[in-house]
Amino acid sequence: MSKKSNTNEHVPTVSINNVPIMSAIPLTTEEPVRRPWLKTELEELNNDSATYPEDENIADEDDDTSDASDSADSDEDSITGQNKIKNIIAAEKEEENDAEESVVTKQESPKQEDFSGGDMMACLSREMTDYQEKQDIMTNEYEKKVLQAESEDELLQESDPDLSRRTESNRHIPYEDIAKPPQRSDTIHGQNDQIHRDLLVFSENPTAIEEPTKLSVVQYYGAGKSGVLPAAYRSKRKPKSYLVACDFSKESLYAIEWTMGTMMRDGDELHIATVANRDDNPDVVKATGLDPTGELHATSDALIKEAKKLLGQMMLFNIKLVTHAMIGRVKDVLKSLTREHNYTMLICGSRGRGSVRTLLMGSVSTYLVHKSIIPVAVIRRQKKKKRVKHQPVEAHSLSESVKSGHLHVDELS
């Protein structure tokens, strides 16, 4: 370790504004308080006396080596500390200069003049007078233009050319002929009765698609016996496809009629499906004695008969009629059928037949409403009001009315 000298001749003292930095005199910045390493370095710079080894007598070689290393370290530490202190002093000076500049700026800023109440009223009065004079000048100029102008168009052209140009362009709006809608005579409904009678029939050769548990029959209505409507009479709208679930109950038959009369238009498709549940009705299957294929054909024929009966009353053209007779569980079969085709809507009755062989019950319609991927319409048949029979009231005989005084008879002499 180096020996410290008892004299303070060559001990540098760091000061700010000619005031030595000591622990009793805090700096203007708060860094010595918040940062212990800076305070320690300042104390070492002020209290360390072994900075210049040339004034001391070195006794042995070990001390020389240690003193040399210590002196080098102290020099580096002193230079580093001095640089840090210089940076602190420069930052403080910059802050002081900024504060002085802000004070000078505030002092040099002009103060608002203090106006008295009378001065304010006089200023407002002067401004109002100037404004009124300008308005009078503009009014006089406009009146002169009105007197000099020969017409309103000339006056408008001088005052506002842009408005005049737009007004003139609006006076001559070109008339565009709107395309007239096709007349009724050009459509299929505008043709004579003979053409309607020739077209409003079912096609002669229906197409049957038979599977082990399904039988589908495709035929056309309103397109003549060939099933192909002439191109001049075809509708340009996109056709829609409807699926109706039927179990031959009054509710389901009314749903078919409602779909034909309310929803369908020319060129639409109508699919009618009925399901025979053989697994849940073994007694009925045994009583009929039909195998699955025979039951499919019997059900399909009955379904086609009911569909033709209802569709033959409608004045619809180019209708594709598809009947589906299927075997299985009602809910599962109808759900799978809705996924096979792109239907616009599924229509079913609100209640089924209510017999043992139930194909479409209230539970089925509820299931379709919650599980179907397409919109479902549940149709309820409107009940007809019962007619009240009025019983005739017997009237009293003429003689009794006369006797009781309810009827007076004038006798002629």
Side-chain angles (χ1 to χ4, degrees), residues 320-346:
K320 182 179 180 180
L321 176 63
V322 184
T323 58
H324 303 279
M326 297 169 288
I327 295 177
R329 296 185 180 274
V330 181
K331 298 177 182 179
D332 299 336
V333 172
L334 291 178
K335 183 178 178 181
S336 62
L337 187 61
T338 57
R339 296 179 183 275
E340 293 177 2
H341 301 274
N342 187 19
Y343 294 112
T344 305
M345 182 180 293
L346 170 61

Side-chain angles (χ1 to χ4, degrees), residues 196-213:
H196 289 171
R197 283 194 295 268
D198 295 339
L199 294 177
L200 292 175
V201 294
F202 288 91
S203 58
E204 292 181 346
N205 300 319
T207 304
I209 304 172
E210 187 172 359
E211 298 177 6
T213 59

Side-chain angles (χ1 to χ4, degrees), residues 63-84:
D63 293 341
D64 292 342
T65 304
S66 60
D67 290 341
S69 60
D70 292 342
S71 63
D73 295 339
S74 61
D75 290 341
E76 294 178 357
D77 295 340
S78 62
I79 292 172
T80 304
Q82 290 176 4
N83 292 333
K84 292 181 179 180

Side-chain angles (χ1 to χ4, degrees), residues 27 40 65 84 108 137 145 174 209 211 232 249 273-274 306 336 342 359 368:
L27 296 176
T40 303
T65 304
K84 292 181 179 180
E108 291 179 356
I137 293 172
K145 290 181 180 180
I209 304 172
E211 298 177 6
S249 64
T274 183
E306 293 293 340
S336 62
N342 187 19
L359 300 182
L368 294 175

Side-chain angles (χ1 to χ4, degrees), residues 107-118:
Q107 291 178 355
E108 291 179 356
S109 59
K111 297 182 180 180
Q112 296 181 354
E113 298 180 358
D114 297 334
F115 293 98
S116 61

Side-chain angles (χ1 to χ4, degrees), residues 88-103:
I88 295 171
I89 294 172
E92 291 178 355
K93 288 183 178 180
E94 290 180 359
E95 293 178 358
E96 291 178 358
N97 293 334
D98 293 341
E100 291 177 358
E101 290 177 359
S102 62
V103 171

